[in-house]
């Protein structure tokens, strides 16, 4: 029998929450959020969740600490009131630190996992988690859907690309880029990127390519400062690439990221709406609904 869903959209994800409720044919709970002058959130949920399967939708883009706390507050209240809480977290912050890279570092994703469980979350659904191994830190069922096929379909429909090549800025995004390339039916290549773990500085290894007359799409899970895409774009231009598109699931696009990438030759940016911006061109609500419908 299909589940009886109630969707509660957190303040960070009102649009995705509404889209998800509509796709699921579910009621969208009335949620009131008030911020006190010092920034603390007060949240009131005006629907009765008892005996419902509940999806709380809250993406954890900046201010990520505040958005995380709002998610925890909602989950605590709704599980206390008898709901089976599914946390739908389109962008899962803190997922990059999924192990102790340098001695003494906190494994932040492990802490997020503990927090979610401690407030009664029974299941986590996210989109393009930074690394699949991060899912192993959860002691509740945790699943990551991929928006890469949607991004690829969007690019096929909206751009006329000449002999395109899909490019991963680092080995970590190779499998995503390979999946993207198979949908747009192109070649793909991965650069080798290293990051100085103390300073954060990025080094992208040069490699000889002939891209004369070809368009390239740089594919990543997230674009944060734009540094990775910028290094990659500079090399692709050096090899003769024509049009450059940067695509990612999570377009954090901090500070001058867009200007940096544009100066390096990036013509357009295509991101999903896990992080809202003018580049959020692909809606993940149908993807999340399809997953919840399988439960
Ligand atoms: C790193 O491994 C990620 O996949 C992204 O490449 C990275 O987080 C992007 O960050 P930025 O835009 O600051 O280079």
């Amino acid at each position: 029998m299909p589940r009886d869903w109630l969707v509660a959209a957190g303040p960070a994800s009102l649009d995705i929450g509404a889209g998800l409720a509509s796709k699921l044919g579910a009621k969208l709970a009335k949620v009131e959020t008030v911020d006190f002058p010092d920034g603390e959130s007060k949240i009131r949920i005006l629907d009765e969740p008892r005996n419902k399967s509940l999806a709380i939708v809250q993406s954890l883009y900046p201010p990520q600490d505040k958005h995380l706390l709002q998610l925890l507050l909602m989950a605590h209240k709704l599980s206390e009131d008898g709901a089976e809480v599914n946390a739908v977290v389109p962008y899962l912050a803190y997922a990059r630190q999924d192990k102790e890279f340098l001695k003494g570092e906190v494994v932040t994703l492990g802490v997020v996992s503990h927090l979610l469980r401690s407030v009664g979350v029974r299941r986590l659904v996210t989109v393009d988690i930074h690394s699949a191994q991060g899912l192993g830190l959860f002691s509740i069922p945790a699943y990551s859907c991929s928006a890469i096929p949607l991004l690829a379909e969007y690019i096929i429909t909206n751009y006329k690309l000449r002999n395109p090549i899909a490019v991963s800025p680092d080995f970590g995004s190779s499998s995503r880029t390979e999946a993207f390339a198979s949908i747009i039916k192109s070649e793909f290549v991965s650069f080798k990127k290293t990051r100085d773990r103390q300073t954060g500085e990025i080094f992208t290894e040069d490699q000889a390519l002939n891209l004369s007359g070809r368009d390239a799409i740089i594919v990543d899970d997230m674009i944060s400062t734009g540094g990775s895409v910028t290094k990659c774009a500079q090399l692709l231009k050096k090899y003769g690439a024509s049009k450059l598109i940067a695509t990612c699931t999570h377009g954090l696009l901090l500070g001058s990221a867009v200007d940096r990438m544009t100066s390096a030759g990036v013509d357009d940016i295509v991101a999903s709406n896990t992080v809202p911006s003018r580049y959020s061109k692909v809606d993940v609500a149908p993807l999340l609904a399809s997953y919840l419908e399988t439960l």
Side-chain angles (χ1 to χ4, degrees), residues 94-95 97-99 106-116 134 137-139:
Y94 291 112
Q97 192 70 30
D98 56 12
K99 64 180 179 196
V106 176
V107 180
T108 53
L109 189 57
V111 177
V112 170
S113 154
H114 283 303
L115 289 171
L116 291 176
L137 291 172
F138 287 83
S139 51

Side-chain angles (χ1 to χ4, degrees), residues 96 130 170 193 195 202 220-228:
R96 275 175 290 192
H130 177 62
D170 54 40
K193 177 184 93 180
R195 193 185 282 271
I202 292 166
D220 213 344
D221 59 330
M222 71 173 81
I223 301 175
S224 178
T225 65
S228 306

Side-chain angles (χ1 to χ4, degrees), residues 21-44:
S22 151
K23 287 279 167 198
L24 289 172
K27 183 167 187 209
L28 187 62
K30 192 157 170 33
V31 179
E32 284 179 359
T33 310
V34 175
D35 270 4
F36 288 107
D38 62 1
E40 287 180 6
S41 299
K42 183 174 86 167
I43 299 188
R44 184 175 177 212

Side-chain angles (χ1 to χ4, degrees), residues 55 59 62 72 84 109 117 125 145 171 177 192 195 213 220 250 277:
S59 202
L72 297 171
E84 178 200 77
L109 189 57
R117 189 183 172 140
V125 185
C145 321
F171 291 157
T177 307
K192 182 172 181 198
R195 193 185 282 271
D220 213 344
H250 313 296
S277 78

Side-chain angles (χ1 to χ4, degrees), residues 153-185:
E153 293 298 341
Y154 180 92
I155 285 170
I156 290 172
T157 309
N158 291 281
Y159 296 87
K160 276 204 168 61
L161 296 175
R162 282 190 307 161
N163 192 9
I165 182 165
V167 182
S168 176
D170 54 40
F171 291 157
S173 268
S174 289
S175 58
R176 269 185 271 270
T177 307
E178 189 173 3
F180 180 95
S182 78
I183 297 168
I184 69 160
K185 298 191 175 30

Side-chain angles (χ1 to χ4, degrees), residues 51-80:
N51 302 323
K52 297 262 191 192
S53 290
L54 178 88
I56 301 178
V57 191
Q58 172 85 335
S59 202
L60 304 184
Y61 55 85
Q64 53 278 75
D65 297 353
K66 180 169 180 133
H67 289 156
L68 173 61
L69 192 66
Q70 289 169 334
L71 169 64
L72 297 171
L73 297 175
M74 290 174 74
H76 183 265
K77 175 65 181 146
L78 289 162
S79 70
E80 206 177 51

